[in-house]
Amino acid sequence: MSSLHRPLLRGKQGCWTCRLRKKKCDEGRPHCSTCESLSITCYAYGAKPDWMDNGEKERAVAKSIKDIVKYTSRRKRTSQLPKEREPIVLAPKSSSASVENTSSNPGSHRTHKSTPPSDHGSLHQNARMDEAHALHNGSDLLFYVPADESTLLIHFLDHVFPLQYPMYQPGILDGGRGWLLALILRTKSLYYVALAISAHHRRTIMQTKISHVCRALEVQEAQHLENCLKLVNEFAQVACPYNGLGVTNAVIQLGYYELFSSDGSAWKAHFRAAMRMYQRGYKEDLCNFALSEEARKILLEDRPDANLDPAVAEEVRSHIFLAASLIWLDILSSITAGTAPYLQSFHFRVVTPDSQINLKKVMGCQNWVILQIGRIAALHENWTQALDNGNADCKAFQDTVSDISKEIQLCGLTQTTLDELNISENLCVTAYNAAPDYSMLITHMFAYMASIYLHLITYGFNKLELVDRIIPEAMKMLHTRIPVHFLPALVAPLFVVGCVAKQEDQQYFRNAFESPPLVDSLLKHRGRILPVLEEVWRQRRGATGVAWKDCLELTKEVLLL
């Protein structure tokens, strides 16, 4: 009998999870309360799951559930504090805040208990509501996060986030990364995925040292990830808009989690989903992000956020970072996919010369060159489709190539701007320490990359003599002007320049992609880049007429990050 025609279980049999655990089930719909109270997956009452085979699969599921129950029970015991001083619980537990006031006798103790703000509503509104509750009850706000989760949260802020955004260093006047902490603590899904990815990183670091700790981290990782996915799915099913800002960031972090922890392409679906959420929000005048009216107007009018109310400034900075991050991920993913950026129509509308969305602050690279790289990716897809359809317009293609090339030369590769960098064989890496603006070096490396990338979509690996000046200049900058700790911001230029590198220069790229700081236990995806370069070099040695599309056949699962 096919699964479509199997009868649903009725009566007293219970959900499949309770049957596996041999526990009493209340048969609640859609999920039983027993499973929900233990934060384990309820496999409901439908057709018998494929894993329930009385064999290895069933034992594996049973063990996983048992580990989660053990971890959940332990956390409930260790998180109980003395009744005379009950804390405010900030770790996500429920979607509403509650206030309890016990005064059964004159000596009784007044307590203020609050769960974290839910994903509903703006950060501004939630902060004001918490403050109002506290003032009304005559108590201070006391935030509490369980010890194991606070360890993971700080690890995320101190170690994981800097790996994702190595050049993002907001100053004191910009409020530092306070907006990120606030957003995490006020968005359950973002909170849980931050804990999951942090647990994964800590586990990869300690997996050869402390096995029992690694097992505990593995259980935490799975539980936090499940919580996040459940909340994101709930968000997708809600008709009325709420905290889209926090949830979109959560979806981005889900993409990072998949990128860092697996060899598949699930990260693409998450990043694309986040882009769709941003696109919908932009089309709806940011209404679905549940921003305060003042923050929304500032963002739509692209006004500076000086002298703003701190809560409004926090919303503005959160949204600006989100937009910059998505545009960056959009363009980077389009390079190796051979497609136009998904948000291409928004790039030049959102990232204007005077825009608050400044990629230099987030990624270390100036806006203009990233937008040109996005144009090149779009040109490549359009040209490839035109050739396949037999309606290619060579003149229009060459005109666009010429226009992009002029923009790159005018903005970044003129002799005047190169002279400002003072590139010299006599300069060592440490001499750069006195340079005032690191973004100039990073931007110029991306400009070199853009010129080479434009050549590759036009001629493939033929006629490399046309970029004979650019390739040596790029290598000179890498050898003499780029500090090693800047390499994580230059993964894309390293790949594109490496593709056309001469044989005597190829060892530089081997060393770079096999050593810190590009190598980190979390950044598993970077291990895919060097094998692709080696294959490109092999094809170049063995054949003529190697095209850029041949390279793209090797990079479908690669993100140059």
Side-chain angles (χ1 to χ4, degrees), residues 189 224-234 254 270:
S189 52
H224 294 316
L225 184 64
E226 181 179 347
N227 289 339
C228 174
L229 290 169
K230 179 180 178 181
L231 288 165
V232 170
N233 287 330
E234 288 177 359
L254 282 171
H270 289 305

Side-chain angles (χ1 to χ4, degrees), residues 330-331 334-335 338-341 344 371-382 404 453 457:
D330 185 25
I331 292 174
S334 70
I335 295 170
T339 59
Q344 178 74 18
L371 295 181
Q372 294 304 321
I373 290 171
R375 285 185 70 193
I376 298 170
L379 177 63
H380 174 255
E381 182 187 56
N382 294 337
I404 294 174
Y453 180 30
I457 72 159

Side-chain angles (χ1 to χ4, degrees), residues 164-190:
Q164 296 171 342
Y165 302 94
M167 303 313 296
Y168 181 62
Q169 298 178 344
I172 294 175
L173 296 179
D174 293 326
R177 288 179 292 159
W179 65 267
L180 175 61
L181 177 60
L183 195 62
I184 289 173
L185 294 178
R186 290 173 178 145
T187 310
K188 295 179 183 178
S189 52
L190 180 56

Side-chain angles (χ1 to χ4, degrees), residues 125-411:
Q125 292 167 334
N126 283 325
R128 292 292 180 263
M129 287 173 63
D130 281 347
E131 185 177 354
H133 281 311
L135 292 174
H136 176 73
N137 287 277
S139 62
D140 295 330
L141 281 172
L142 175 63
F143 296 107
Y144 170 74
V145 176
D148 55 346
E149 294 183 6
S150 64
T151 298
L152 294 176
L153 180 59
I154 295 302
H155 186 86
F156 178 84
L157 294 170
D158 287 349
H159 300 287
V160 175
F161 191 77
L163 286 174
Q164 296 171 342
Y165 302 94
M167 303 313 296
Y168 181 62
Q169 298 178 344
I172 294 175
L173 296 179
D174 293 326
R177 288 179 292 159
W179 65 267
L180 175 61
L181 177 60
L183 195 62
I184 289 173
L185 294 178
R186 290 173 178 145
T187 310
K188 295 179 183 178
S189 52
L190 180 56
Y191 179 90
Y192 283 127
V193 72
L195 298 185
I197 197 170
S198 184
H200 176 76
H201 189 209
R202 286 172 61 81
R203 183 163 63 87
T204 58
I205 292 172
M206 293 188 286
Q207 61 186 355
T208 59
K209 299 178 182 178
I210 314 175
S211 58
H212 70 280
V213 174
C214 291
R215 180 57 187 158
L217 286 169
E218 185 178 7
V219 173
Q220 292 178 47
E221 177 186 335
Q223 182 61 60
H224 294 316
L225 184 64
E226 181 179 347
N227 289 339
C228 174
L229 290 169
K230 179 180 178 181
L231 288 165
V232 170
N233 287 330
E234 288 177 359
F235 170 86
Q237 296 170 13
V238 173
C240 61
Y242 56 96
N243 187 11
L245 185 65
V247 179
T248 306
N249 273 286
V251 176
I252 291 175
Q253 287 300 327
L254 282 171
Y256 275 117
Y257 177 87
E258 293 294 341
L259 182 70
F260 295 159
S261 64
S262 69
D263 294 319
S265 59
W267 57 270
K268 295 181 182 179
H270 289 305
F271 287 149
R272 180 58 61 88
M275 291 170 198
R276 284 197 296 266
M277 294 166 72
Y278 174 78
Q279 182 185 58
R280 184 174 68 249
Y282 190 86
K283 288 181 177 179
E284 297 175 358
D285 292 336
L286 309 182
C287 290
N288 70 324
F289 289 130
L291 300 164
S292 63
E293 188 61 24
E294 185 178 359
R296 196 172 69 87
K297 287 182 178 179
I298 288 170
L299 290 165
L300 290 174
E301 297 170 8
D302 206 10
R303 291 190 277 114
D305 63 352
N307 302 318
L308 290 179
D309 176 271
V312 176
E314 180 184 292
E315 291 182 316
V316 171
R317 290 164 189 161
S318 299
H319 188 275
I320 289 173
F321 183 90
L322 172 67
S325 180
L326 280 175
I327 289 172
W328 179 268
L329 291 170
D330 185 25
I331 292 174
L332 285 186
S333 59
S334 70
I335 295 170
T336 50
T339 59
Y342 183 78
L343 299 173
Q344 178 74 18
S345 61
F346 291 88
H347 290 176
F348 285 90
R349 292 161 54 190
V350 176
V351 188
T352 61
D354 300 322
S355 172
Q356 292 187 76
I357 300 175
N358 191 339
L359 295 173
K360 181 179 78 172
K361 290 184 178 180
V362 178
M363 307 299 177
C365 183
Q366 294 173 5
N367 290 352
W368 68 266
V369 67
I370 295 301
L371 295 181
Q372 294 304 321
I373 290 171
R375 285 185 70 193
I376 298 170
L379 177 63
H380 174 255
E381 182 187 56
N382 294 337
W383 178 241
T384 301
Q385 290 179 349
L387 288 174
D388 291 342
N389 296 332
N391 58 355
D393 187 337
C394 294
K395 184 179 184 306
F397 175 75
Q398 288 297 337
D399 287 345
T400 306
V401 169
S402 178
D403 181 64
I404 294 174
S405 180
K406 287 177 182 177
E407 288 289 333
I408 296 171
Q409 295 297 322
L410 179 64
C411 297

Side-chain angles (χ1 to χ4, degrees), residues 321-521:
F321 183 90
L322 172 67
S325 180
L326 280 175
I327 289 172
W328 179 268
L329 291 170
D330 185 25
I331 292 174
L332 285 186
S333 59
S334 70
I335 295 170
T336 50
T339 59
Y342 183 78
L343 299 173
Q344 178 74 18
S345 61
F346 291 88
H347 290 176
F348 285 90
R349 292 161 54 190
V350 176
V351 188
T352 61
D354 300 322
S355 172
Q356 292 187 76
I357 300 175
N358 191 339
L359 295 173
K360 181 179 78 172
K361 290 184 178 180
V362 178
M363 307 299 177
C365 183
Q366 294 173 5
N367 290 352
W368 68 266
V369 67
I370 295 301
L371 295 181
Q372 294 304 321
I373 290 171
R375 285 185 70 193
I376 298 170
L379 177 63
H380 174 255
E381 182 187 56
N382 294 337
W383 178 241
T384 301
Q385 290 179 349
L387 288 174
D388 291 342
N389 296 332
N391 58 355
D393 187 337
C394 294
K395 184 179 184 306
F397 175 75
Q398 288 297 337
D399 287 345
T400 306
V401 169
S402 178
D403 181 64
I404 294 174
S405 180
K406 287 177 182 177
E407 288 289 333
I408 296 171
Q409 295 297 322
L410 179 64
C411 297
L413 294 182
T414 62
Q415 190 58 47
T416 301
T417 53
L418 288 174
D419 288 342
E420 290 175 1
L421 289 171
N422 191 26
I423 299 174
S424 169
E425 294 283 0
N426 299 322
L427 288 174
C428 63
V429 169
T430 55
Y432 168 72
N433 291 335
D437 187 4
Y438 65 81
S439 70
M440 184 178 292
L441 291 175
I442 293 176
T443 299
H444 273 275
M445 279 306 305
F446 272 92
Y448 287 134
M449 167 195 163
S451 290
I452 296 170
Y453 180 30
L454 185 61
H455 177 93
L456 289 172
I457 72 159
T458 306
Y459 302 105
F461 291 91
N462 299 318
K463 300 184 179 181
L464 288 180
E465 65 274 9
L466 297 178
V467 285
D468 262 352
R469 179 183 67 85
I470 293 173
I471 298 172
E473 286 177 353
M475 292 307 305
K476 184 182 292 186
M477 182 173 285
L478 288 171
H479 281 296
T480 65
R481 295 293 286 165
I482 300 295
V484 173
H485 63 274
F486 277 6
L487 293 184
L490 296 170
V491 175
L494 285 171
F495 174 77
V496 175
V497 176
C499 282
V500 298
K502 296 179 180 178
Q503 190 166 353
E504 59 268 26
D505 290 323
Q506 291 169 6
Q507 189 59 43
Y508 173 89
F509 299 95
R510 293 189 181 98
N511 294 339
F513 283 108
E514 290 178 335
S515 311
L518 289 184
V519 171
D520 184 275
S521 56

